């Protein structure tokens, strides 16, 4: 029972969180998506198929950068945008040494010049 309303407030604002708490309205998929309480909803009968696909998508992403991204997001959650802006840049410096960071920007430029949609890069985790 306890522990969730502050997370709703973080995502949707205090007013919507308070409305939810005071009315005890069950959140439905549509409104939750509209208010950014969740980023995606999957039908019950599709969860078993969707879960491995989501895991593969995450695994193909910039795995080394995730560690660096978590620090300012945690700081933002606790102290706001200004606090997150004060996250030490030293956390990011090691990323500039890895192959993924050196290869992604030139690849993005080529994709842009070709007029293609940005679909993602083949991150290698090194």
């Amino acid at each position: 029972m306890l522990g969730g309303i502050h997370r709703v407030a973080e995502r949707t604002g205090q007013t919507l969180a308070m409305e939810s708490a005071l009315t005890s309205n069950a959140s439905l998929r549509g409104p939750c998506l509209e208010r950014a309480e969740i980023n995606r909803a999957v039908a019950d009968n599709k969860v078993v198929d969707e879960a491995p696909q989501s895991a593969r998508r995450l695994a193909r992403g910039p795995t080394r950068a995730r560690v660096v991204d978590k620090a300012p997001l945690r700081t933002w959650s606790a102290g706001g945008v200004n606090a997150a802006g004060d996250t030490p840049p030293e956390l990011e410096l090691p990323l500039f040494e890895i192959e993924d960071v050196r290869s992604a920007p030139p690849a993005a430029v080529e994709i842009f010049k070709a007029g293609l949609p940005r679909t993602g890069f083949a991150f290698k985790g090194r």
Side-chain angles (χ1 to χ4, degrees):
M1 298 257 306
L2 295 176
I5 199 66
H6 62 288
R7 297 191 193 291
V8 174
E10 177 187 40
R11 287 163 180 80
T12 67
Q14 183 177 0
T15 303
L16 289 172
M18 184 60 77
E19 177 185 340
S20 177
L22 294 175
T23 62
S24 295
N25 285 340
S27 293
L28 301 175
R29 178 177 69 189
C32 287
L33 286 166
E34 290 168 14
R35 295 189 304 237
E37 290 175 30
I38 59 174
N39 63 326
R40 190 166 58 142
V42 177
D44 291 345
N45 63 342
K46 301 284 186 189
V47 170
V48 173
D49 295 329
E50 290 280 334
Q53 291 174 18
S54 292
R56 283 191 289 278
R57 222 176 9 260
L58 288 171
R60 285 191 304 263
T63 55
R64 299 271 305 268
R66 287 188 190 127
V67 174
V68 175
D69 290 338
K70 286 181 184 179
L73 287 173
R74 268 192 241 107
T75 304
W76 167 79
S77 181
V81 171
N82 289 335
D86 293 335
T87 302
E90 296 82 36
L91 290 175
E92 294 180 8
L93 291 177
L95 288 179
F96 291 96
E97 302 297 323
I98 64 173
E99 182 181 335
D100 286 341
V101 172
R102 290 192 309 264
S103 63
V109 169
E110 293 305 315
I111 288 170
F112 176 76
K113 285 181 181 178
L116 299 171
R118 183 176 169 192
T119 58
F121 301 100
F123 291 103
K124 299 172 185 168
R126 57 181 187 271

